[in-house]
Amino acid sequence: MTTKKQDKASILSIIDAVETLSSIADMDLEKDISVAKEQDLVVQDKELFFKSVHWLTEDGSGESLHMIKEIFKVVLNHIKNFYNDDQKGAKDEQGVESIKTIMVLVGEAAKKLDKYTNLFHQSANMPRITELDEYKDLREFYQKRISNTVAEGTLGKWILGLSANVEEAPRTEKISQKERLKTKYIFIDLEAVKSDTEYELFFLRKEDGSRFFSPPLIKNMKLVSDFGNYFGEVQRKDPLISMDSWKDRCAHATSISILRALGSRVERFFHETARHRKGELAGIMNSAMMALLLCSHQENLLSNSPVKSCYEYFKDFQNFLYQAMHSREYQKFVVYQPRVSNKVANTLLETLHALCRSMILHQKGYEEMTPHVQNLIQEENKEGLELSQQSLDGKLVEIFLQEYELMKTKMHQHPNGPLILLLNSLEEGDCNMFSPLRQKNLPVPLFSMYFHEKKIVNLRLPAPITQEFIDKVHIDETFHGFLRACEKDHIIRKHLLFNMQDRTSWREVARCQALEGLMNIPKFNQHIAVVTLAFDTEFYHQHSPYDKEDDAEIFINHFFEHLSDEGFGFYFSNSLSKALFPKFAKKLLNVIHRVFFANQNKLSVEARRDFIEIYYFFLVMKCIEIVKPDSYSMSCKDAIDVGGSFNLIIYLMLKLMNNEQIGQIDIDCIHYMTYMPALFVRERLMLPDRFSRFLSVLKVVEDLRSDYGEETFSMILSEAFDPLYESPIIHSQVIPSHS
């Protein structure tokens, strides 16, 4: 009987084997090996070595035979486990179909390698692959035990049908050859899918209307998903097995919060529109309100086994809301403002905009799931690590890292979350547009900051866009409605959106331009300000050509040059630019260098990365001071990784600078920001590299605070940074939204 540790290792091995076989079967081996020879790459990472083509070259032939044999052994062990697992193999048609598919890959890969066997004979005198004992043993076992039970065509038909669904008609409008070449030869690979860094490309088209993925990629995704999900023990211990119930409760709590925010408008809406429900907009709005009310009823919770759950009613509400925003009657009212005497039209507009505002500002419910995160951490905390409030003093980095590692271990029991999400979206045909607000990624207030005696709400807000083509982006109509609701009762409200997408990248430049363009629309420019900060450039990551330059003065000069040039990924409005450059921007660089890095002449790569994050924090505070918004957001494409990690920096920097103790309510907020958005939206954890950037900055601040002492630390920061602001930011209070 295998142990849990062995089971885990076998899952990883079979996935690697499937990926390698798929790659060999799909590649033009002669062309790819030629390219590998020309590049003369040396791959040192064993995992990368195992998955890459370079081990098939003459230079890699010393290990090629070992790798090929290892693949066949892994596949044979997997098939034996499948067959011997309580005779499950004879009954599990889906599993048998997966075995059939992997054997097809084994055959195709072996034939392709044999075709080019002369490459290997030149330096290693390798035998034919089909003559290896490992290959023969695998084929013999398969033919005797499995082949006569194979179910016909299940996976093949699924893949063919899926391919037909994604190969949709190209865009008819003419585009230049230069534009078409921008992304013509760019495709998503399986590694990007597994890392979940470019999933939005599955919902987008290239400039010419084609897709960023191909049927072979879908096939590999399905195979990896199947083999990752095979082991029943893993599924039974899935930490997200109650996800549907969690989402249902969140939808219920959110609907109650929205209705409370609407207040008396609900009754007024039904009273004013009672005799006009046959009208286009009134009818849709009535359906939306009814769905919201039904979602708020406790008897519709999934735990009560209703005919229709709260989560389903909330999806109905969202769909009706979008229908209302796109209706011809609403669009007419937006262009031609109805007269004051038209009570019905004004009630419809006011209610619809209030709903949009509530969807953005008044979501409650996610925080109710924080106890579930804490339970997952404690379930995995088998060694009894001290994670209590009393253990936090001076050890935040250590505690948060331990918790993250525990969650990583726990999430190993969840079978390929992002992969399953993508496959479901493709299989259901829900892959025609990238629109975070419509794809179950709803905004939520995280915490409030009292800055200059004004309450400013921090929103977890994904990019409020809809995008079908990589080069065409529109602002989400719900966000338009939110902005239109910002002017009410003659009070001007304003939102400051920090755009954290990369305007130097072909993937995100169109989204950046669309968001920045909001300030050029006369009816919105009083209610929105957009600042773009570079969070994914070579300089931000200190990659080449900046990685070897450790001179602090040169680094600071480079940083200032980048900040003041849109070509390096930054964008500030004219008014903000005048207020920030050059005086404030230069002074801030020098103060951070002096206070946090002791004016060191040399800065390591890690120190330079920390410097950038700390600078961004103080720059964000200055922008907030200048704009004086009612709310602000750190908005990357989905507000999970880039935005999520920087919100953690903002929250803890304000707490530590203000010399506040970290209490349980703060820990709840931090747990929520760290884990819940990623779990709910992508069924994974925050990406490790983003979480590491957060921890690295926190360590710098904690170490400095420990060296000076809490009171002295706060005093030093106050003396250094207060002169750069109109009033002290050190004493800005921050309070979680659910407190």
Side-chain angles (χ1 to χ4, degrees):
M1 185 173 178
T2 58
T3 65
K4 295 179 181 178
K5 186 174 181 180
Q6 288 172 328
D7 281 344
K8 178 181 173 183
S10 64
I11 293 174
L12 294 174
S13 298
I14 190 62
I15 290 175
D16 288 339
V18 169
E19 288 187 58
T20 307
L21 289 169
S22 298
S23 299
I24 296 172
D26 290 338
M27 68 174 57
D28 182 346
L29 202 56
E30 189 172 37
K31 176 181 176 182
D32 290 332
I33 287 180
S34 176
V35 171
K37 284 183 183 178
E38 291 174 6
Q39 293 176 338
D40 193 25
L41 294 178
V42 178
V43 181
Q44 297 178 346
D45 188 308
K46 188 172 182 181
E47 183 179 0
L48 180 59
F49 181 87
F50 183 72
K51 297 176 183 177
S52 68
V53 68
H54 307 293
W55 60 271
L56 297 175
T57 66
E58 292 180 61
D59 293 337
S61 60
E63 295 197 40
S64 297
L65 186 60
H66 170 74
M67 289 294 181
I68 293 166
K69 289 180 178 180
E70 184 67 22
I71 290 172
F72 294 151
K73 288 178 182 177
V74 167
V75 174
L76 178 58
N77 288 335
H78 174 74
I79 295 177
K80 285 181 177 179
N81 287 338
F82 171 83
Y83 185 80
N84 295 326
D85 187 12
D86 298 327
Q87 298 181 342
K88 177 182 176 182
K91 300 177 182 179
D92 185 356
E93 291 188 0
Q94 183 179 359
V96 170
E97 181 66 16
S98 296
I99 296 298
K100 173 189 173 183
T101 304
I102 198 173
M103 287 305 298
V104 170
L105 287 177
V106 168
E108 289 178 356
K111 290 176 184 177
K112 186 157 288 189
L113 290 173
D114 276 344
K115 182 178 179 181
Y116 298 100
T117 190
N118 288 335
L119 272 173
F120 306 116
H121 280 306
Q122 291 175 9
S123 58
N125 194 27
M126 289 181 62
R128 291 178 60 82
I129 302 303
T130 51
E131 294 176 358
L132 294 173
D133 290 340
E134 288 79 5
Y135 178 84
K136 291 178 180 178
D137 291 344
L138 172 59
R139 184 171 180 177
E140 181 181 1
F141 185 87
Y142 171 75
Q143 289 177 337
K144 287 184 178 180
R145 306 292 181 90
I146 304 292
S147 63
N148 59 349
T149 65
V150 164
E152 292 297 329
T154 304
L155 180 59
K157 291 177 182 177
W158 188 89
I159 293 172
L160 288 174
L162 199 56
S163 302
N165 287 338
V166 300
E167 296 294 337
E168 299 172 23
R171 197 165 65 177
T172 56
E173 63 182 271
K174 292 183 179 180
I175 59 174
S176 68
Q177 181 68 16
K178 184 178 180 181
E179 290 176 316
R180 181 177 287 108
L181 289 174
K182 289 179 182 176
T183 57
K184 183 177 181 180
Y185 299 107
I186 295 173
F187 293 94
I188 311 170
D189 59 25
L190 190 56
E191 285 305 307
V193 173
K194 289 173 66 180
S195 65
D196 202 42
T197 54
E198 299 176 0
Y199 68 88
E200 75 277 10
L201 295 182
F202 277 87
F203 301 96
L204 302 178
R205 299 173 183 272
K206 300 180 184 181
E207 295 92 331
D208 63 354
S210 60
R211 293 288 186 182
F212 285 94
F213 57 91
S214 59
L217 175 63
I218 305 298
K219 177 187 71 176
N220 292 348
M221 285 171 58
K222 179 63 177 172
L223 286 171
V224 171
S225 173
D226 281 349
F227 291 115
N229 290 339
Y230 170 68
F231 295 91
E233 182 179 359
V234 173
Q235 288 190 354
R236 287 194 296 271
K237 294 184 178 180
D238 183 359
L240 303 187
I241 196 168
S242 300
M243 178 61 77
D244 288 344
S245 177
W246 296 1
K247 290 181 177 180
D248 193 59
R249 288 190 170 276
C250 280
H252 173 69
T254 295
S255 64
I256 293 174
S257 177
I258 292 175
L259 288 169
R260 284 176 180 169
L262 290 177
S264 60
R265 289 192 187 92
V266 177
E267 185 178 348
R268 188 163 69 251
F269 166 80
F270 284 114
H271 179 266
E272 293 290 346
T273 64
R275 291 180 292 181
H276 301 274
R277 291 176 186 170
K278 292 184 179 180
E280 180 191 19
L281 183 56
I284 298 172
M285 286 284 295
N286 186 73
S287 298
M289 293 294 286
M290 290 302 298
L292 190 63
L293 287 167
L294 287 167
C295 182
S296 69
H297 289 181
Q298 191 167 358
E299 57 267 28
N300 291 324
L301 284 169
L302 202 59
S303 56
N304 295 324
S305 303
V307 175
K308 196 168 186 176
S309 68
C310 292
Y311 183 66
E312 290 172 319
Y313 279 123
F314 194 81
K315 286 197 296 184
D316 288 344
F317 161 69
Q318 278 189 284
N319 290 333
F320 286 128
L321 186 64
Y322 275 90
Q323 287 179 34
M325 298 294 292
H326 289 88
S327 67
R328 286 183 297 177
E329 192 173 359
Y330 172 73
Q331 297 298 330
K332 176 183 174 182
F333 287 153
V334 168
V335 177
Y336 305 104
Q337 189 71 24
R339 296 178 180 178
V340 178
S341 58
N342 191 342
K343 291 185 178 181
V344 174
N346 282 292
T347 297
L348 288 171
L349 279 179
E350 182 184 340
T351 306
L352 185 50
H353 293 161
L355 283 170
C356 293
R357 181 174 175 82
S358 297
M359 282 279 291
I360 302 292
L361 269 181
H362 298 293
Q363 297 257 5
K364 302 285 183 183
Y366 273 110
E367 64 270 14
E368 291 190 1
M369 299 301 106
T370 304
H372 293 287
V373 172
Q374 294 166 341
N375 289 338
L376 293 177
I377 293 172
Q378 291 304 327
E379 285 174 9
E380 199 59 36
N381 187 14
K382 298 171 184 175
E383 298 180 11
L385 297 173
E386 183 59 47
L387 304 177
S388 67
Q389 179 182 342
Q390 289 75 21
S391 69
L392 292 174
D393 187 27
K395 299 179 182 178
L396 291 174
V397 173
E398 180 183 339
I399 296 300
F400 294 155
L401 180 59
Q402 288 174 341
E403 290 179 338
Y404 188 82
E405 291 300 320
L406 290 171
M407 284 293 287
K408 275 176 63 177
T409 303
K410 193 70 175 176
M411 288 300 292
H412 283 156
Q413 300 170 7
H414 180 59
N416 300 316
L419 264 179
I420 297 296
L421 290 175
L422 281 174
L423 287 168
N424 289 342
S425 294
L426 292 168
E427 196 169 16
E428 294 168 6
D430 183 26
C431 59
N432 61 342
M433 186 179 296
F434 178 58
S435 181
L437 295 182
R438 295 201 65 181
Q439 291 165 329
K440 307 169 187 175
N441 190 355
L442 298 177
V444 63
L446 296 176
F447 53 87
S448 297
M449 180 175 65
Y450 289 86
F451 193 35
H452 295 188
E453 299 183 351
K454 179 178 182 179
K455 179 181 178 181
I456 304 172
V457 179
N458 176 297
L459 290 176
R460 194 197 77 83
L461 176 69
I465 54 93
T466 59
Q467 183 179 15
E468 184 177 359
F469 291 88
I470 192 67
D471 59 335
K472 301 288 184 183
V473 178
H474 303 283
I475 301 300
D476 190 282
E477 279 296 331
T478 304
F479 194 69
H480 277 161
F482 164 73
L483 294 178
R484 290 179 183 125
C486 282
E487 187 167 0
K488 181 182 176 294
D489 301 327
H490 306 290
I491 299 175
I492 304 297
R493 296 177 177 85
K494 196 163 193 174
H495 180 77
L496 173 56
L497 189 148
F498 290 97
N499 175 37
M500 309 173 80
Q501 299 173 97
D502 186 4
R503 70 194 317 270
T504 69
S505 166
W506 61 267
R507 294 175 182 84
E508 300 187 324
V509 60
R511 296 200 287 270
C512 294
Q513 291 171 346
L515 290 170
E516 292 161 5
L518 274 169
M519 292 188 294
N520 298 324
I521 302 174
K523 58 187 175 182
F524 294 148
N525 58 14
Q526 294 184 80
H527 309 300
I528 183 73
V530 179
V531 172
T532 297
L533 301 178
F535 274 87
D536 212 14
T537 60
E538 286 80 4
F539 184 82
Y540 173 79
H541 293 294
Q542 286 295 290
H543 290 166
S544 179
Y546 307 103
D547 54 333
K548 304 299 183 185
E549 188 54 75
D550 61 356
D551 185 277
E553 184 178 356
I554 294 176
F555 164 73
I556 289 172
N557 289 336
H558 279 160
F559 199 173
F560 180 77
E561 290 172 7
H562 284 227
L563 285 163
S564 55
D565 190 338
E566 291 183 9
F568 290 112
F570 293 88
Y571 173 83
F572 303 94
S573 65
N574 290 334
S575 59
L576 267 176
S577 186
K578 290 177 182 178
L580 296 172
F581 299 101
K583 189 175 179 180
F584 173 83
K586 281 188 174 180
K587 279 189 175 181
L588 182 58
L589 286 166
N590 294 327
V591 171
I592 289 174
H593 186 211
R594 172 168 54 86
V595 174
F596 288 95
F597 301 95
N599 279 330
Q600 297 173 33
N601 293 326
K602 301 291 184 181
L603 295 174
S604 66
V605 170
E606 291 75 17
R608 298 196 300 272
R609 290 171 181 160
D610 294 334
F611 192 117
I612 292 170
E613 298 285 355
I614 293 170
Y615 186 92
Y616 281 178
F617 165 76
F618 287 101
L619 180 61
V620 164
M621 292 299 106
K622 186 62 176 180
C623 291
I624 290 174
E625 178 183 74
I626 296 169
V627 175
K628 296 178 174 60
D630 298 276
S631 58
Y632 73 99
S633 60
M634 310 306 300
S635 297
C636 56
K637 68 182 179 186
D638 51 22
I640 293 175
D641 304 299
V642 185
S645 60
F646 198 76
N647 275 328
L648 288 168
I649 290 175
I650 292 175
Y651 188 87
L652 281 165
M653 282 285 282
L654 289 171
K655 282 284 182 180
L656 295 177
M657 288 195 316
N658 205 23
N659 199 18
E660 292 186 27
Q661 295 298 317
I662 306 298
Q664 188 57 50
I665 192 170
D666 300 307
I667 296 301
D668 291 345
C669 185
I670 291 164
H671 281 164
Y672 166 68
M673 289 191 284
T674 305
Y675 300 110
M676 292 315 298
L679 291 176
F680 263 63
V681 180
R682 301 304 305 159
E683 295 189 10
R684 60 165 171 82
L685 299 183
M686 181 185 291
L687 295 177
D689 59 330
R690 301 296 179 177
F691 188 71
S692 295
R693 289 285 288 248
F694 152 66
L695 286 184
S696 184
V697 172
L698 182 58
K699 186 176 189 308
V700 170
V701 177
E702 269 201 308
D703 288 349
L704 198 63
R705 191 169 180 248
S706 176
D707 290 343
Y708 285 117
E710 294 178 5
E711 292 185 5
T712 305
F713 172 73
S714 184
M715 183 182 67
I716 289 173
L717 290 185
S718 182
E719 291 177 353
F721 290 98
D722 283 355
L724 300 178
Y725 298 84
E726 292 179 4
S727 62
I729 67 165
I730 304 303
H731 303 293
S732 300
Q733 190 177 14
V734 58
I735 300 175
S737 292
H738 62 278
S739 61

